[in-house]
């Protein structure tokens, strides 16, 4: 059957799905049932599409407003593991490395593994991946490399992102529209989000050709929000139609592309594709054309205070 499809559909594209800000994130307060729904819908879609996803945890999101561990939220993390998925460390409180002294940042990383490290060890697994909040990796090579040594000493490998995007902006708009029962607006956000993500994926496929010289296993950044819970099934179908299958992070990182030199120390939390390109001196014009989040989404997202990344 496959031989009848165009070549572009049979090239065996591969993608890792990474989900940040577990157990769940929103610009608005989340109820226990909303957290549960986000988790249930994501895990069901991952199972349906055989997605070996990895979730990156902010352990401060596991505590309730009194400062006590919420067993229900710990239970949500256990469900990720029970579904055969992996968990990684995304710090305790989501600090920005560019605004946080390195010792405090490193303490936040260790505080962020108190629950998940034993949870993984009890299963015979190990905690092996770290994702920088905001993808900020340090404003000097000294800070950047010092943190990399700290991470290695604690058994962590950095989880890069090659397909960066504004999912959190769409999610903020979505949560706000849903909170005022604007179902038509929420439907429009879902449709525009999927259209946007398909254009983003197409853009980074082009960047892979221009920067790596070939397709390679891409790593997509998403967040554990209601929008992704409600749309991941459709996103997976869309990606499958483009020829993708989903692979675990460790397999993607085995690709030589992930050993390209990276000496990026700029202010923007950007795709690793662009870090490799800037390190090599690729003209910035090559990096242009990244799809933009529509203005009305930005406005709807900013209708209150706070964003997440
Ligand atoms: Zn995050």
């Amino acid at each position: 059957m496959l031989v009848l499809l165009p070549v572009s559909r049979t090239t065996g594209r591969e993608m890792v799905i990474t989900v940040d800000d577990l157990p769940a994130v929103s610009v608005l307060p989340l109820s226990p049932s909303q957290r549960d729904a986000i988790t249930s819908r994501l895990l069901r879609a991952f199972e349906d599409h055989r997605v070996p996803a990895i979730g990156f945890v902010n352990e401060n999101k596991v505590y309730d407003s009194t400062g006590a561990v919420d067993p229900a939220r710990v239970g949500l993390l256990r469900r990720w593991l029970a579904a055969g998925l992996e968990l990684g460390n995304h710090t305790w409180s989501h600090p920005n490395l560019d605004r946080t002294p390195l010792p405090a940042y490193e303490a936040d990383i260790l505080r962020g593994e108190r629950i998940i490290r034993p949870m993984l060890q009890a299963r015979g697994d190990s905690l092996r991946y770290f994702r920088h909040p905001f993808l900020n990796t340090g404003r000097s090579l000294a800070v950047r490399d010092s943190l990399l040594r700290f991470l290695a000493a604690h058994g962590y490998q950095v989880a890069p992102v090659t397909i960066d995007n504004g999912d959190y902006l769409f999610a903020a708009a979505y949560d706000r529209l849903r909170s005022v029962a604007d179902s038509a607006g929420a439907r429009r956000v879902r449709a525009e989000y999927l259209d946007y993500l398909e254009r983003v994926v197409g853009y980074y496929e082009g960047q892979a050709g221009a920067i790596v010289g070939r397709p390679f296993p891409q790593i997509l950044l998403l967040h554990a929000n209601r929008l992704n819970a409600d749309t991941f099934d459709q996103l997976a179908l869309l990606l499958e139609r483009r020829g993708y299958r989903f692979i675990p992070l460790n397999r993607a990182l085995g690709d030589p592309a992930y050993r390209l030199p990276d000496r990026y120390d700029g202010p923007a939390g950007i795709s690793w594709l662009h870090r490799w390109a800037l390190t090599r001196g690729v003209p910035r014009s090559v990096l242009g054309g990244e799809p933009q989040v529509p203005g009305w989404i930005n406005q709807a997202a900013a209708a209150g205070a706070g964003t997440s990344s």
Side-chain angles (χ1 to χ4, degrees):
M1 172 184 89
L2 283 176
V3 294
L4 300 176
L5 291 170
V7 171
S8 64
R9 298 219 174 163
T10 60
T11 47
R13 287 168 166 164
E14 295 178 321
M15 187 180 288
V16 182
I17 303 298
T18 69
V19 186
D20 284 11
D21 299 6
L22 262 59
V25 64
S26 172
V27 288
L28 301 175
L30 285 169
S31 69
S33 68
Q34 286 172 325
R35 278 188 216 100
D36 194 88
I38 288 170
T39 305
S40 298
R41 283 165 171 260
L42 281 175
L43 296 187
R44 191 183 317 136
F46 292 157
E47 185 183 357
D48 287 348
H49 294 275
R50 295 191 180 137
V51 181
I54 177 167
F56 287 93
V57 179
N58 297 129
E59 282 198 10
N60 76 336
K61 294 187 175 69
V62 175
Y63 288 70
D64 65 22
S65 55
T66 72
V69 172
D70 176 358
R73 294 184 226 185
V74 175
L76 299 178
L77 300 180
R78 289 193 196 286
R79 284 171 60 191
W80 277 72
L81 296 179
L85 307 175
E86 185 155 10
L87 294 177
N89 187 339
H90 192 39
T91 73
W92 155 269
S93 66
H94 214 278
N96 185 334
L97 179 55
D98 296 352
R99 294 188 219 127
T100 310
L102 188 55
Y105 190 87
E106 291 173 347
D108 204 83
I109 291 172
L110 296 182
R111 195 177 177 193
E113 62 171 42
R114 286 181 191 167
I115 295 169
I116 55 174
R117 186 181 284 283
M119 195 185 282
L120 285 158
Q121 279 170 347
R123 301 172 56 90
D125 295 327
S126 55
L127 182 58
R128 45 183 186 160
Y129 293 111
F130 174 75
R131 162 77 42 81
H132 299 79
F134 309 104
L135 305 185
N136 282 142
T137 53
R139 287 308 317 281
S140 73
L141 292 179
V143 165
R144 205 191 78 129
D145 293 346
S146 182
L147 177 61
L148 290 178
R149 285 192 295 275
F150 171 88
L151 290 169
H154 290 271
Y156 289 108
Q157 200 175 344
V158 170
V161 170
T162 61
I163 305 182
D164 189 22
N165 62 84
D167 80 321
Y168 61 97
L169 294 166
F170 285 87
Y174 190 60
D175 288 348
R176 292 192 193 289
L177 291 167
R178 277 175 49 89
S179 75
V180 295
D182 184 348
S183 57
R187 192 161 54 242
R188 195 173 155 215
V189 173
R190 288 198 299 271
E192 288 224 18
Y193 175 55
L194 288 164
D195 177 67
Y196 162 82
L197 274 186
E198 179 150 39
R199 284 183 286 117
V200 168
V201 168
Y203 165 78
Y204 280 107
E205 287 167 357
Q207 294 290 285
I211 296 163
V212 178
R214 60 177 171 86
F216 72 104
Q218 298 259 14
I219 302 175
L220 175 65
L221 168 60
L222 298 175
H223 289 84
N225 55 45
R226 182 64 192 238
L227 177 60
N228 286 319
D230 288 354
T231 56
F232 188 82
D233 180 61
Q234 288 164 279
L235 176 62
L237 287 170
L238 181 162
L239 293 169
E240 286 159 359
R241 277 199 302 274
R242 291 181 82 92
Y244 281 97
R245 64 200 179 87
F246 304 107
I247 63 169
L249 181 56
N250 70 322
R251 203 150 99 236
L253 294 180
D255 189 284
Y258 289 98
R259 294 194 288 280
L260 286 169
D262 171 13
R263 305 303 286 163
Y264 176 75
D265 62 357
I270 55 174
S271 165
W272 262 248
L273 269 163
H274 291 166
R275 294 163 196 251
W276 301 329
L278 294 170
T279 300
R280 205 167 71 215
V282 170
R284 280 185 180 268
S285 59
V286 172
L287 313 185
E290 190 167 349
Q292 297 300 303
V293 174
W296 78 272
I297 293 287
N298 278 310
Q299 282 163 19
T307 59
S308 174
S309 182

